[in-house]
Amino acid sequence: MSKHADSTTVIAPGIPVHSEEIFRRLVDSVQDYAIFILDTQGYIASWNPGAERFKGYKAHEIIGKHFSTFYTQQDKDKDKPGWELKVASEVGRFEDEGWRVRKDGTRFWASVVITRIKDDDGKIIGFGKITRDLSERRVAEQRYRLLIEGVTDYAIYSLDAEGNITSWNSGAERIKGYLAEEIIGRHFSTFYVPEDVSAKVPARVLQRAREEGHYEGEGWRVRKDGTRFWSSVVVTPLKDETGQITGFSKITRDITERKKLIDEIQRHSQELELRIAEREQTNAELESFSYSVSHDLRAPLRAIEGFSEALREEYSHVLDDNAKDYLQQVITAAARMNQLVQDLLNYSRLSRTDLALQEISARAVIDRVVHDLTPAQQECLTVEAFHDVRVIGHEPTLAQVLMNLISNGLKFHAPEVECRVTVSVSRPQPGWVRFSVQDNGIGIAPEHQQRIFQVFERLHGIEEYPGTGVGLAIVKRATERMDGRYGVQSARNQGSTFWVELRAAQESRSK
Ligand code: ADP
């Protein structure tokens, strides 16, 4: 191989470097590393383009100068360069990272390797020096470090492969209460509650992170002052270039407040569920109680009615007017009680029995109701013409609902007013059929319109308008059980329109 000197690689005279052309070309082509040779005293003996690029010196400016030129004054004062050569001479190699100075005085963060060079007799004849500019990486790392250190809402720290803490940010300090110098080097199980430590939870966490590449969990942790907090934790393994796990990063958040809130909500909803269950139980018991009471009341009632009738028929000749009057009152009261019991039974039966919902004809139901009215009642009633439509419901139940509404319409009017009740069927909304019962009666003030649908809610005395106060409660419950809706439009002295709506049956099947 030719030994003629390359134009850019300059080798100082007197230094016996056995440089081959290929080797020189290689060194010359390297831009990212400063590769040069020092003599035994540390004087620069060669220079490559990489060195020129990031140290700023041309070959002729620097060859023959001492390599301490590149060191900061501080390092020079400590004779760091001399010490580095000493280490390289003794050990064979010296590696370091640190600040170095360019020709223009600016600094750069360098990774440095100095290697001892020996001749065939084992005598040191100089040193090879390879320097890399890591400034950009260092800036990025520093920015990253600052970023992490600045985070206060999260404890971000790292562990070595065994779980000992190797870094600590301000969030960790804030949340856990330890300063970096107090905790770095200690095992992360320090933060676990004793129960978890004895159950070997910390080891399992690292194991899971190792096996699954990630661990996420929540649990109680202990602060430096011994208080506990509920934490949300993410653990991620850190790997080197060969894929070997060298440690873990750990991010912990204090979510005690959220946990408290969630616990509170859960407690409330459990309480609520319990209360609802209790109430349902009580309601069911009450219903069954009132059902059996009503049911059992009928037999003695029938006896009262029967014997009073017998008394009136067989003994009226021995009773004076006063006694007859009393007897009449017994008979009336018994009849009223009979009605009350009957209504209550109807009402509670509505929730006790299953209603098999079917397609039913609106016209058939209305015809049936009209048929059951007395001729006098029929006189007052008008059914508006309509195209029949089929609805989803339970025929006897819908008939009962309409009957209750019509009888109320016939009943609640001023004595001097001739009553008029109009029944109509309409489609207020696609999918729904509305049955309306309109009267010209006394009307209902808005503030009473809700409560009249409750059992026994009446707005008048029994002498004024007879009734039990159960009719509209039946309307409400029956409509609900047929998946329908109900309502009233009314004002005092303006008449009322009560309505119920049921779902229309499929159009294709309606006639
Ligand atoms: P009842 O008719 O046996 O009294 P309801 O439950 O059917 O019981 O009605 C409850 C109350 O609502 C009635 O007592 C009355 O005060 C009022 N009400 C119901 N329907 C009408 C109506 N069409 N016009 C005026 N008030 C009515």
Side-chain angles (χ1 to χ4, degrees), residues 17 55 89 97 147-148 150 163 177 241 263 265 276 296 329 355 373 401 421 427 430 470 472:
V17 176
K55 302 223 188 206
S89 309
E97 274 194 19
L147 181 80
I148 290 196
E241 313 82 62
D263 285 354
I265 290 171
I276 290 172
D296 294 351
Q329 288 200 36
L355 292 189
L373 293 173
V401 165
V421 173
R427 307 289 301 266
V470 183
L472 287 182

Side-chain angles (χ1 to χ4, degrees), residues 408 411-412 439 444 452 457-460 467-469 471-472 498:
N408 280 349
K411 180 166 64 175
F412 292 105
D439 64 48
I444 304 152
I452 51 175
E457 287 290 350
R458 308 194 75 238
L459 305 178
H460 311 277
T468 57
L472 287 182
F498 283 82

Side-chain angles (χ1 to χ4, degrees), residues 343 404-405 407-413 437 439 441-444 448 451-460 465-475 490 495-498:
D343 281 357
N404 289 1
L405 294 180
S407 7
N408 280 349
L410 294 171
K411 180 166 64 175
F412 292 105
H413 63 90
V437 178
D439 64 48
I442 55 175
I444 304 152
H448 300 313
R451 70 177 176 102
I452 51 175
F453 288 94
Q454 305 302 322
V455 187
F456 298 143
E457 287 290 350
R458 308 194 75 238
L459 305 178
H460 311 277
Y465 295 105
T468 57
V470 183
L472 287 182
I474 288 180
V475 169
S490 183
S496 308
T497 303
F498 283 82

Side-chain angles (χ1 to χ4, degrees), residues 10-13 15 17 36-39 43-47 63-65:
V10 181
I11 301 176
I15 300 290
V17 176
F36 52 97
I37 292 169
L38 306 178
D39 69 11
Y43 288 95
I44 297 155
S46 77
W47 200 240
I63 285 184
K65 296 246 172 75

Side-chain angles (χ1 to χ4, degrees), residues 277-402:
E278 277 170 6
R279 185 167 301 175
E280 275 171 1
Q281 168 84 7
T282 320
N283 273 354
E285 280 166 8
L286 266 177
E287 294 243 346
S288 108
F289 172 74
S290 71
Y291 185 81
S292 30
V293 168
S294 318
H295 196 264
D296 294 351
L297 280 177
R298 291 170 89 191
L301 249 181
R302 240 177 267 126
I304 296 170
E305 278 185 318
F307 284 112
S308 312
E309 281 299 335
L311 197 60
R312 185 164 62 182
E313 279 168 23
E314 294 168 33
Y315 294 91
S316 79
H317 57 283
V318 293
L319 295 177
D320 65 14
D321 283 350
N322 224 0
K324 279 186 198 155
D325 185 37
Y326 289 164
L327 186 58
Q328 185 52 45
Q329 288 200 36
V330 172
I331 291 171
T332 311
R336 174 167 159 66
M337 191 158 171
N338 203 2
Q339 186 59 52
L340 207 63
V341 167
Q342 194 55 50
D343 281 357
L344 270 180
L345 277 176
N346 286 342
Y347 178 70
S348 59
R349 210 175 274 134
L350 256 181
S351 41
R352 295 166 67 86
T353 44
D354 275 338
L355 292 189
L357 300 186
Q358 296 175 331
E359 287 186 14
I360 50 180
S361 145
R363 185 174 310 284
V365 181
I366 291 175
D367 285 351
R368 172 176 168 169
V369 175
V370 174
H371 177 265
D372 287 347
L373 293 173
T374 63
Q377 288 174 322
Q378 286 177 7
E379 279 283 294
C380 299
L381 189 78
T382 310
V383 178
E384 275 186 3
F386 67 98
H387 284 293
D388 191 18
V389 57
R390 299 177 79 77
V391 296
I392 305 293
H394 183 252
E395 191 169 322
T397 306
L398 179 57
Q400 188 179 10
V401 165
L402 294 177

